[in-house]
Amino acid sequence: MSEYRAPLDEYRFLLRHVIDAATVLRQASEGDLSLEDADSVMDAAAQLAEQVLAPLNVKGDQQGPTIADGQVKSTPGFRAAMKAFVEGGWTALSHSTAVGGQGVPHVVGNAVLEFWSGANPAFAIAPGLTISAAHTLDSTASPEQKDRYLPKLVAGQWTGTMNLTEPQAGTDVGSIRTKAVRQPDGTWRISGQKIFISWGEHDLSENIIHLVLARAPDAPEGPKGISLFIVPKFLVNDDGSLGPRNAVTCTALERKLGIHASPTCVMQYEEATGFLVGAENRGLTQMFVMMNEARMGTGSQALGISECAYQKAEAYSRERIQSKAVGVRSGPAIPIAGHPDIQRILLNMRSLLTAMRGVNLQVGAWMDLTKIDPDGDARKGWTQRMEFLVPIMKAWLTECAQDITYDAIQVHGGMGFVEDTGVAQQYRDARITTIYEGTTAIQANDLIGRKLTSDGAQTARSVLAGVRDQVVAVKALGTPRAQRFARRLGAACDALEQATDWMLEAQGSRSAHAGAVPFITMWGLVLGASVHARCLLAASGSSMQGFRPEFIERKIRDAVFFADYHLPHVEALKTFVTEGTEEFAVTEGANAEQV
Ligand SMILES: Cc1cc2nc3c(=O)[nH]c(=O)nc-3n(C[C@H](O)[C@H](O)[C@H](O)COP(=O)(O)OP(=O)(O)OC[C@H]3O[C@@H](n4cnc5c(N)ncnc54)[C@H](O)[C@@H]3O)c2cc1C
């Protein structure tokens, strides 16, 4: 089964009742976008996702790109899909109107990104990277560079890539060796090998603009000696037309576990012509614009793949007849959806999806709010919140995607393990999301090493205080289910606060780093529950016109399930973080034997 349905109702609900998108849209949209406008954007995006991208998903899995003489041919159908994507103006969606974009805020952009990735994650990487590359140039490049490259990237006529990884420089980006030598005419010669470059070479666009991290011969060692360069596949003439082919080639494509249709390229730079972006040795900071966006994009990708897996599992559970109902001695076998354990699995998937979606929208909303009051305190506050949430969102959503796609296979039984139902593709495609754009450990290190400590945990505490307010509000609903939810979330907040205090004390230690991933998971669970708290409050209120009673009851059920099933883990994780990590605190540096 290859059908995919964009979860429009979910977004209509979340944007109205969980995120207060109306306020965000009003404050952040350049063209005063309303909620109804956001609905129209999402409807059109859903159509493209369902009708153009989704039908190519299985094909892309089975028939990935091929390479011959350095030319990469993409999966049949992808060129036409890219044409439709570009003609629909989707690459321009989130760019400012000043550079030819549509100025649609991220809170809507993140929803749409989920649809692309749910429908066809391997395809969605190409425009996703292009959009991030253009945002990066928009905020870091010179006016001349912007004029030359931005219009065509924004329009989707050209695509963009991110070139960080080298054989010896994966997580350790500071150990990049690609060499950049300044030329008398002000250009640079770039030489070296980059590996694992997504959509590094392909036939979907006229030109490919590589954003490459490289090091000048006299640059300082480590991360402080890295600069950012534009290296176009075809050099661009002053009048904007394409010039000669640059000395950058794809020498091989990786064979891999999932996202088969996305070419993962080995790129060889042989004195290719490059153009420095901004100041020398500032490359890593500049590239953080792209990395931050790509991290959020990966979270949206994990969410989209998970939704697709859930839809397949839910449909299969209604079709597959197996065994009598619990406690029934005679009578026919029932659809497996009637068995309590399948219901538990489906509730787990669904309640995680709502929580993930809410966190994804929250990060988009905070990002949008960073644009208001550009010089003031409000902007600083939103920026700190957004930056605090990015690693949590990336790590937690992508780890949840592993559980959800695992569950989807489990619901299908043996039919999930064989390829016929197609759900194995989601399981394989989701696996990369915890690895690229910084592994889960790296997001966790970022949280404890920078985001938490840079302001003495003030941002963390203010985010947590917001969740505690929700606990009070949910408790005041007074129903037994609401009381139970509030009790569990209150306890989880207590545990998270204790772990946060402990992390601040332990910062920089081996114990802190041993507890980093469990700690980021605690944050994910509590912020996920905060989404459910807002769902509960909305579902119990009186402003739910337009939503069916079953939809509202499902939201209540999902919230209570999340609290009962997931929140008790927060206390258990705290125990490990604050006590179990003592075992890792050795005094003499790290070595493999310690494990
Ligand atoms: C399909 C695919 C597409 C990709 N696309 C791109 C792309 O477009 N552009 C690009 O530049 N790169 C890309 N990458 C590279 C990707 O970002 C890296 O694979 C990733 O950052 C991890 O680096 P690594 O594979 O070298 O793993 P390593 O860095 O070798 O890590 C191995 C393990 O050690 C752990 N580890 C390493 N250091 C630490 C530490 N300090 N603390 C805790 N744990 C640590 C990691 O978490 C991981 O579990 C892609 C990779 C793949 C597979």
Side-chain angles (χ1 to χ4, degrees):
M1 205 177 105
S2 69
E3 294 86 19
Y4 163 79
R5 287 268 162 272
L8 289 166
D9 271 359
E10 295 293 324
Y11 276 103
R12 289 203 177 98
F13 171 76
L14 291 171
L15 289 176
R16 281 164 178 79
H17 297 291
V18 170
I19 296 298
D20 186 15
T23 307
V24 177
L25 291 174
R26 195 174 50 248
Q27 293 187 353
S29 77
E30 293 175 20
D32 275 344
L33 210 70
S34 67
L35 274 175
E36 288 66 37
D37 296 328
D39 287 345
S40 307
V41 171
M42 291 190 300
D43 286 345
Q47 228 179 28
L48 187 73
E50 292 167 4
Q51 293 172 15
V52 178
L53 304 186
L56 292 170
N57 197 28
V58 172
K59 192 183 225 178
D61 186 49
Q62 294 170 348
Q63 196 179 337
T66 52
I67 182 167
D69 298 329
Q71 309 284 322
V72 173
K73 235 175 136 183
S74 46
T75 299
F78 271 44
R79 275 168 66 87
M82 189 65 171
K83 191 164 175 282
F85 198 95
V86 168
E87 283 173 1
W90 294 108
T91 48
L93 191 72
S94 61
H95 293 292
S96 68
T97 47
V99 297
Q102 298 168 29
V104 172
H106 288 279
V107 73
V108 179
N110 281 11
V112 165
L113 204 53
E114 180 195 328
F115 302 167
W116 309 143
S117 297
N120 195 327
F123 173 88
I125 295 168
L129 284 170
T130 304
I131 292 165
S132 308
H135 280 145
T136 306
L137 292 180
D138 195 15
S139 58
T140 58
S142 69
E144 189 273 333
Q145 288 171 333
K146 286 186 198 179
D147 284 350
R148 194 174 288 247
Y149 301 105
L150 266 184
K152 296 222 165 113
L153 283 171
V154 169
Q157 233 170 307
W158 300 345
T159 57
T161 69
M162 180 170 75
N163 284 239
L164 277 66
T165 308
E166 298 175 10
Q168 81 297 340
T171 298
D172 189 6
V173 181
S175 61
I176 277 173
R177 286 192 202 134
T178 294
K179 203 166 69 178
V181 181
R182 187 190 281 276
Q183 302 301 297
D185 65 358
T187 64
W188 294 70
R189 291 279 170 272
I190 312 292
S191 305
Q193 188 187 63
K194 296 285 178 182
I195 61 166
F196 293 161
I197 305 308
S198 298
W199 289 97
E201 177 59 41
H202 59 81
D203 55 0
L204 301 189
S205 65
E206 294 165 8
N207 202 2
I208 303 174
I209 308 303
H210 303 291
L211 296 192
V212 182
L213 289 183
R215 187 186 289 288
D218 54 353
E221 291 284 297
K224 293 199 169 126
I226 293 174
S227 303
L228 174 63
F229 298 89
I230 297 168
V231 185
K233 174 178 169 183
F234 289 100
L235 295 168
V236 180
N237 298 321
D238 287 344
D239 65 359
S241 60
L242 294 186
R245 183 78 161 79
N246 206 350
V248 46
T249 43
C250 173
T251 53
L253 295 180
E254 303 295 348
R255 293 175 61 236
K256 53 196 194 294
L257 181 66
I259 53 165
H260 289 157
S262 164
T264 304
C265 304
V266 178
M267 302 299 293
Q268 197 65 38
Y269 292 81
E270 299 285 355
E271 301 208 326
T273 302
F275 305 91
L276 179 68
V277 180
E280 245 179 277
N281 302 327
R282 300 282 302 149
L284 216 46
T285 311
Q286 291 161 325
M287 198 58 138
F288 256 108
V289 177
M290 187 156 190
M291 282 152 73
N292 246 347
E293 276 202 25
R295 284 173 182 182
M296 286 191 276
T298 306
S300 302
Q301 183 185 42
L303 173 58
I305 297 170
S306 301
E307 171 65 30
C308 186
Y310 169 71
Q311 289 180 13
K312 288 181 177 178
E314 204 266 339
Y316 187 79
S317 76
R318 280 185 281 110
E319 281 163 20
R320 173 70 173 159
I321 310 288
Q322 202 70 189
S323 313
K324 296 180 191 16
V326 172
V328 174
R329 287 197 163 190
S330 61
I334 60 165
I336 58 170
H339 297 306
D341 188 62
I342 295 289
Q343 288 173 355
R344 174 191 65 79
I345 295 177
L346 291 173
L347 264 167
N348 183 45
M349 298 169 89
R350 208 172 69 199
S351 69
L352 281 174
L353 280 164
T354 300
M356 292 159 76
R357 201 165 275 131
V359 170
N360 188 32
L361 285 179
Q362 187 67 76
V363 81
W366 285 349
M367 192 171 199
D368 290 328
L369 291 172
T370 63
K371 292 183 194 139
I372 59 165
D373 189 16
D375 304 312
D377 284 348
R379 182 188 191 198
K380 195 168 159 225
W382 292 123
T383 304
Q384 280 171 333
R385 281 183 164 233
M386 184 269 289
E387 289 186 346
F388 178 75
L389 192 51
V390 167
I392 300 170
M393 180 266 199
K394 198 282 180 180
W396 191 62
L397 267 62
T398 59
E399 291 290 343
C400 286
Q402 311 311 313
D403 291 347
I404 292 173
T405 52
Y406 169 98
D407 276 351
I409 295 218
Q410 201 66 13
V411 169
H412 283 79
M415 289 305 286
F417 190 74
V418 299
E419 293 283 349
D420 303 39
T421 55
V423 76
Q425 182 184 355
Q426 276 72 50
Y427 185 72
R428 290 183 281 98
D429 284 355
R431 190 61 191 89
I432 186 60
T433 61
T434 63
I435 296 170
Y436 62 13
E437 309 312 342
T439 61
T440 304
I442 293 327
Q443 308 304 321
N445 286 351
D446 182 36
L447 180 69
I448 66 162
R450 267 188 292 268
K451 307 294 167 65
L452 188 70
T453 49
S454 62
D455 63 355
Q458 274 184 44
T459 304
R461 290 194 202 290
S462 84
V463 171
L464 198 53
V467 183
R468 285 198 188 276
D469 289 344
Q470 290 157 4
V471 172
V472 173
V474 171
K475 194 170 174 201
L477 293 174
T479 65
R481 289 203 290 186
Q483 302 260 336
R484 196 163 89 228
F485 182 98
R487 201 171 60 245
R488 298 218 196 283
L489 184 51
C493 287
D494 292 344
L496 182 54
E497 192 155 2
Q498 288 160 27
T500 301
D501 290 342
W502 183 92
M503 268 297 167
L504 278 176
E505 285 278 309
Q507 63 179 284
S509 68
R510 285 177 54 81
S511 295
H513 282 268
V517 168
F519 181 65
I520 207 167
T521 308
M522 293 172 75
W523 272 102
L525 288 168
V526 167
L527 294 180
S530 139
V531 172
H532 280 296
R534 283 172 275 171
C535 290
L536 261 186
L537 290 167
S540 312
S542 55
S543 60
M544 294 288 294
Q545 296 99 324
F547 294 97
R548 286 167 285 116
E550 312 86 80
F551 181 90
I552 299 168
E553 176 51 33
R554 225 170 52 197
K555 282 281 162 265
I556 298 173
R557 206 168 164 215
D558 291 355
V560 173
F561 177 88
F562 191 91
D564 289 339
Y565 196 67
H566 287 292
L567 283 181
H569 291 295
V570 178
E571 174 68 26
L573 290 167
K574 183 209 80 179
T575 304
F576 174 76
V577 170
T578 60
E579 296 173 28
T581 55
E582 204 177 290
E583 294 293 316
F584 294 76
V586 290
T587 47
E588 290 179 21
N591 63 57
E593 285 81 62
Q594 281 160 3
V595 175

